[in-house]
Amino acid sequence: MIRRICLFWLLALPVMAQTFTPSDQATLARSTRKLLEDRYFTNLEILTHYEVHQPFEALEPQLEGMLRDAFRSKDVLIFNEFRSSQNPNTTLAEYVKDCRIFSGGRPVTNHFDWAEARYRLGKTPAGEPYVNFYIRKTLAGTDTQDKPFRFSNLVEYRVQFVHHSALRVFLDFRIAGMVRVDHIPDDAVPLPGKEELSAQRNVELPAVIDRLSDVIRRFANGRAIRLERFTYRNCGINDALSDRLAATLRAALPKNGLTLSDTAALRLRGDYAEEVNNLRIRFDLTDMGQGINVASGLNDELPLSWLASEKLTLRPEDFGKVESVRDTLKRLVAPQATPLQLELLTDRGRSGVEYWEGQSMKIQLRANRPCHVRLVYRLADGTQTILEEDFLVSPGKAGQLVTVAPGDQFVCAAPFGTEYLLAYASEEGFCPLPTRPDRRGYVREEGGYRIFVGSLQAMNEILTCRENKSAGLTEDWIQITTRSKKK
């Protein structure tokens, strides 16, 4: 049986003043603050800024890293504002789940009053030393009914560490518990000045994103920003590192005075890649209304070793295959000089589109003229499924958003990976699709689906065949990441 660890504060004994010198005590205070601020508070803020549609499984890599780096055990109990006063302590995983349930997945902000923070030293009956750290924690957000909430509590963090007396060093600082308290003990003392902490700081992702956010704020000039996913070399693949960047940006940008909006004309997009031994993060700020680049910038301070420490992979597993497909699509689906225009959309937009196992996708399209549309979905394993052979945009629907197959459900299931939604539109009817086996390509029935057998290039040629070749033709496609909830 696994037991949750809950240290009993009343059994703790104060450490005698002569045990640690004033210099030792200052070192312990600095190390404790560094643990809480860099490994706990910062990562907690990121965990509460993952995207609404992402299931809890998307947060697990960061959650596990946070438990590994900051906690004595995954079963350590912490104060949970969302639970009843009779049983307010839960594990970190349960706490993060409650945050997302209570807020409906919307961002939750955490504020910590460092000016009033205090600490005191102690030891357990077994002689293990610890630091009790007192700080006011304020949690705020919006619940599922769109009503604002705010919880403010004085909390005590128990941080244990290893003391090598012969070497006069302190190691392995870990959170062993957290409880709500009514007041700060009289013998607790203020922290050393923050300037004394700066020399200890390693380069971390939140600090790098804060510096980029400050640059972005100056160029945004008070305008709202539409944040889109940063991916490896702009490949469009969402993975654990892309998740971490997105959540860190969603947490940092508002703190730097920027407003996030899904409808803002000012778009923030970027990518990341290796730069010798460091991670280069680059951004582009674009005014989509005017079609101009407002600003670009980069930061390459974060060492690649940080990825290893966080158990994150830089290059997505199927990067090479995805780049090959994208290059083919860019070549085949090139803009054509035609008055017919087509825009393909999902219920999650066009950029950085992501669905997790079991989630449903809605497909919409907009054509500026009456037309016939063929719709294809290319799965991660290369299977090309025809969703619509001849979808008609009638004269009355031209220029409007039209839902494709509103009575059907497109549910995310295996295989998972990078997939594509492709649409072909013609002002006149398409040629019938071949159903007899042919080396160039043909359509076969399989399990209730119509599957195109053949290469991507052959499919493009056959599906765009029209009897009147002079009829207007246009194409569009969206890249989609589908993800499994299983590790």
Side-chain angles (χ1 to χ4, degrees):
M1 178 183 292
I2 296 176
R3 295 182 178 177
R4 294 176 175 175
I5 297 173
C6 185
L7 299 182
F8 294 95
W9 270 237
L10 294 178
L11 296 178
L13 304 175
V15 172
M16 299 303 175
Q18 66 268 24
T19 302
F20 296 120
T21 66
S23 176
D24 288 340
Q25 294 177 35
T27 298
L28 289 168
R30 288 194 294 267
S31 298
T32 299
R33 175 169 178 172
K34 179 177 173 58
L35 168 73
L36 293 174
E37 190 171 11
D38 290 356
R39 292 295 179 185
Y40 179 65
F41 296 152
T42 299
N43 285 299
L44 179 62
E45 187 77 353
I46 294 170
L47 280 167
T48 56
H49 279 77
Y50 273 69
E51 296 173 35
V52 172
H53 74 269
Q54 293 188 296
F56 184 73
E57 287 79 3
L59 286 65
E60 287 185 335
Q62 170 134 2
L63 181 64
E64 290 171 359
M66 184 173 168
L67 286 166
R68 182 183 63 248
D69 296 342
F71 281 74
R72 183 182 177 187
S73 159
K74 68 178 182 179
D75 301 307
V76 165
L77 298 182
I78 63 174
F79 173 67
N80 186 335
E81 294 94 331
F82 303 103
R83 295 295 177 98
S84 67
S85 57
Q86 288 76 28
N87 189 24
N89 299 321
T90 67
T91 63
L92 176 64
E94 290 169 327
Y95 176 68
V96 173
K97 285 181 180 178
D98 286 350
C99 275
R100 289 182 66 81
I101 292 170
F102 197 84
S103 68
R106 297 179 179 88
V108 175
T109 59
N110 298 271
H111 173 74
F112 301 92
D113 188 352
W114 293 104
E116 298 300 320
R118 298 289 187 273
Y119 78 100
R120 63 189 290 270
L121 306 180
K123 63 181 178 181
T124 66
E128 296 176 335
Y130 64 80
V131 178
N132 274 356
F133 192 93
Y134 303 90
I135 193 167
R136 179 160 293 279
K137 176 178 182 287
T138 302
L139 188 75
T142 305
D143 66 17
T144 54
Q145 305 299 316
D146 289 328
K147 295 180 180 178
F149 64 83
R150 185 176 183 274
F151 303 115
S152 184
N153 293 280
L154 182 64
V155 294
E156 175 188 278
Y157 289 90
R158 170 68 57 84
V159 174
Q160 292 189 318
F161 58 92
V162 175
H163 175 212
H164 286 280
S165 55
L167 300 175
R168 303 298 297 175
V169 295
F170 307 100
L171 304 170
D172 201 27
F173 286 75
R174 301 279 173 165
I175 297 172
M178 168 196 170
V179 295
R180 180 187 176 278
V181 295
D182 294 323
H183 64 277
I184 298 176
D186 293 337
D187 59 346
V189 297
L191 303 177
K194 190 169 183 180
E195 64 277 0
E196 297 179 44
L197 298 169
S198 58
Q200 291 191 2
R201 292 280 158 83
N202 296 321
V203 178
E204 298 280 351
L205 179 63
V208 167
I209 296 301
D210 269 339
R211 285 192 272 278
L212 282 174
S213 298
D214 185 56
V215 175
I216 293 165
R217 176 186 56 79
R218 294 200 297 270
F219 284 103
N221 198 26
R223 298 172 62 188
I225 284 178
R226 183 171 87 239
L227 175 62
E228 293 189 357
R229 281 287 189 132
F230 285 42
T231 59
Y232 179 72
R233 295 189 179 276
N234 263 326
C235 68
I237 303 173
N238 296 348
D239 60 5
L241 179 53
S242 176
D243 290 344
R244 182 77 64 91
L245 273 167
T248 307
L249 281 160
R250 281 164 55 84
L253 292 169
K255 285 189 172 182
N256 281 274
L258 290 154
T259 301
L260 297 179
S261 170
D262 292 337
T263 59
L266 205 55
R267 184 190 70 187
L268 176 62
R269 175 190 282 180
D271 68 287
Y272 52 87
E274 55 274 85
E275 187 72 40
V276 191
N277 294 321
N278 287 20
L279 180 69
R280 186 214 70 210
I281 304 173
R282 186 186 63 82
F283 78 84
D284 289 310
L285 194 61
T286 305
D287 187 324
M288 300 303 291
Q290 298 184 41
I292 59 172
N293 181 266
V294 175
S296 297
L298 62 84
N299 183 294
D300 59 2
E301 297 176 79
L302 192 65
L304 290 176
S305 58
W306 175 84
L307 295 174
S309 70
E310 296 292 315
K311 299 189 183 305
L312 293 169
T313 303
L314 174 62
R315 181 185 170 113
E317 185 177 350
D318 56 348
F319 173 72
K321 182 176 73 173
V322 169
E323 284 296 280
S324 176
V325 174
R326 282 164 58 96
D327 288 344
T328 301
L329 286 173
K330 288 175 183 177
R331 176 171 51 83
L332 296 176
V333 189
Q336 300 183 27
T338 173
L340 178 61
Q341 297 176 5
L342 176 70
E343 181 183 23
L344 193 56
L345 294 165
T346 72
D347 54 313
R348 294 186 181 161
R350 290 179 53 86
S351 176
V353 178
E354 172 184 273
Y355 292 93
W356 285 76
E357 184 177 2
Q359 294 179 342
S360 296
M361 175 176 66
K362 292 181 180 178
I363 303 171
Q364 293 181 307
L365 57 86
R366 181 191 287 117
N368 66 330
R369 293 186 172 197
C371 61
H372 301 260
V373 179
R374 279 180 170 166
L375 204 63
V376 179
Y377 194 85
R378 181 183 171 93
L379 279 72
D381 63 1
T383 301
Q384 298 166 145
T385 305
I386 297 175
L387 301 181
E388 291 285 346
E389 183 175 341
D390 192 6
F391 181 84
L392 183 63
V393 177
S394 63
K397 297 295 184 180
Q400 300 179 23
L401 270 179
V402 181
T403 300
V404 176
D408 295 340
Q409 273 198 322
F410 303 105
V411 180
C412 179
F416 303 103
T418 304
E419 305 186 333
Y420 303 88
L421 182 63
L422 302 100
Y424 307 91
S426 172
E427 291 189 80
E428 295 193 19
F430 290 104
C431 301
L433 292 175
T435 56
R436 298 177 63 177
D438 187 287
R439 286 187 301 175
R440 287 187 60 248
Y442 66 99
V443 175
R444 73 164 183 244
E445 298 284 342
E446 185 178 308
Y449 295 96
R450 304 197 75 198
I451 308 297
F452 183 87
V453 181
S455 69
L456 184 57
Q457 180 168 339
M459 184 183 72
N460 187 80
E461 292 173 358
I462 291 173
L463 265 64
T464 57
C465 173
R466 289 110 56 224
E467 293 180 1
N468 180 3
K469 297 189 184 302
S470 63
L473 174 73
T474 189
E475 306 166 31
D476 195 17
W477 60 279
I478 296 175
Q479 181 173 317
I480 297 170
T481 302
T482 59
R483 301 173 73 174
S484 171
K485 290 183 179 181
K486 299 175 184 177
K487 294 182 180 178

